Amino acid sequence: MTESPFPQDPEAPRPPAPTTQPPSYHPGSAQPRLNRPVHERYPQIRPTSGYGDPRIRHTGPGPGAGTEQEPERSSKLSARLALALTVVIGQLWGLTIVVDEWMTGDTGTAWWGAGFLVLSFLVVLGLWALDPKDR
């Protein structure tokens, strides 16, 4: 059961055997080099890294974080986003119809469709210009 169903190529290079295992650390190890203080084992960790940094006064977000500060503005922006996405979907649908009509040779309908696309773009531009303080 230990033999592989595929015989190994005798000329293939063999992977090197593991030479040494890293020492297993346990508190109070017999090897003194493993019992050194943390700042000697890891010199890149300084006393000012993280929680010991005197510049850090408060951790985490401030008071009121995660609560909606202006629910009216949020609902207004959500409604605008829904309206703009509806217009964009309509533009994509219109572009599909215009390209299809243009390819079949009905250029009159294609020009009316192009006018629809320009008009829907102007509607989105008007929605954008409606309330400049939200930008």
Side-chain angles (χ1 to χ4, degrees):
M1 301 287 305
T2 59
E3 291 184 20
S4 172
F6 303 104
Q8 198 170 28
D9 185 11
E11 295 178 9
R14 298 194 185 274
T19 55
T20 58
Q21 293 288 334
S24 63
Y25 174 73
H26 53 85
S29 178
Q31 299 178 18
R33 66 183 182 84
L34 297 176
N35 292 327
R36 294 178 295 166
V38 172
H39 68 275
E40 289 180 15
R41 283 184 282 158
Y42 303 103
Q44 70 272 22
I45 299 177
R46 296 177 188 84
T48 58
S49 298
Y51 67 90
D53 194 339
R55 295 172 293 178
I56 298 175
R57 299 277 185 248
H58 304 286
T59 60
T67 60
E68 184 59 54
Q69 303 294 326
E70 296 180 59
E72 296 85 13
R73 181 173 181 266
S74 175
S75 64
K76 185 169 55 171
L77 291 176
S78 297
R80 275 197 208 155
L81 180 64
L83 191 58
L85 286 174
T86 304
V87 171
V88 166
I89 290 170
Q91 285 178 331
L92 290 173
W93 171 78
L95 184 62
T96 304
I97 299 299
V98 166
V99 169
D100 188 39
E101 292 298 319
W102 184 270
M103 292 302 220
T104 58
D106 191 4
T107 56
T109 307
W111 283 112
W112 279 107
F116 166 77
L117 292 176
V118 169
L119 181 66
S120 63
F121 175 75
L122 291 176
V123 167
V124 171
L125 196 60
L127 288 173
W128 177 76
L130 195 61
D131 198 2
K133 73 178 181 78
D134 274 342
R135 281 182 242 125

